Amino acid sequence: MKHFIALLILWGLLVSGAAAQSTIFIVRHAEKGQAGGDDPDLSEAGRARAEALAKMLKDANITAIYITEFKRTQQTAAPLAKALGITATTVPAKNTAALIAKLRGSNGNALVVGHGNTIADLIKALGISEPINIAENDYDNLFGVVLVEKPQLIRLHYR
């Protein structure tokens, strides 16, 4: 817990230093259930993680939320969208170019809820060269990309 608090303080310093810039928060959808074929609902653990994400980001000045056409991204973003009164924007999972255009064209901070196989490409397209690998059962990454002249990446974990 001490490490988590220290990382949040570091995150706050980085974000406050780039106050005029946007920060893009990126997460993989929360844990998915076993039933539902290619478009399952979140599991109980996934719903709890979605609530934790909402609590964590409720004061992050999020002005836009981007999700894909799949229920698991929509359900992951739903608690935060509800708390902030924001309607999430759906961008097809395979259309990274459209999402990048929306992110670059917006002012303010945003949350993107994506998929394990799309997040690395998204982060790279935002100007981060550090390789990103997300394991199949890894749902706790919270990436922050601060869009300054040389974009900065912070990687946290949330539960």
Side-chain angles (χ1 to χ4, degrees), residues 66 95-106 122 126:
Y66 298 95
N95 198 347
T96 302
L99 178 57
I100 292 297
K102 287 182 182 294
L103 292 171
R104 292 207 180 274
S106 66
L122 174 61
L126 289 171

Side-chain angles (χ1 to χ4, degrees), residues 28-152:
R28 179 184 184 190
H29 60 77
E31 292 88 337
K32 57 187 172 183
Q34 300 299 315
D38 291 339
D39 195 15
D41 288 307
L42 293 181
S43 66
E44 185 175 323
R47 288 188 297 277
R49 187 177 303 278
E51 292 292 338
L53 179 66
K55 288 177 187 171
M56 185 176 213
L57 293 180
K58 69 180 171 74
D59 296 322
N61 297 318
I62 302 286
T63 59
I65 298 174
Y66 298 95
I67 55 176
T68 70
E69 67 274 24
F70 297 102
K71 291 189 289 189
R72 55 194 178 270
T73 64
Q74 297 163 14
Q75 293 170 358
T76 300
L80 181 62
K82 182 178 180 183
L84 299 178
I86 294 174
T87 300
T89 301
T90 302
V91 179
K94 294 184 179 189
N95 198 347
T96 302
L99 178 57
I100 292 297
K102 287 182 182 294
L103 292 171
R104 292 207 180 274
S106 66
N107 293 321
N109 298 339
L111 169 66
V112 176
V113 182
H115 302 272
N117 63 345
T118 63
I119 289 174
D121 289 340
L122 174 61
I123 290 172
K124 185 176 181 181
L126 289 171
I128 302 297
S129 59
E130 177 183 329
I132 303 296
N133 296 308
I134 301 172
E136 178 62 30
N137 292 322
D138 193 355
Y139 297 96
D140 68 348
N141 287 286
L142 172 60
F143 300 97
V145 179
V146 182
L147 298 179
V148 290
E149 186 175 333
K150 183 178 188 293
Q152 301 292 314

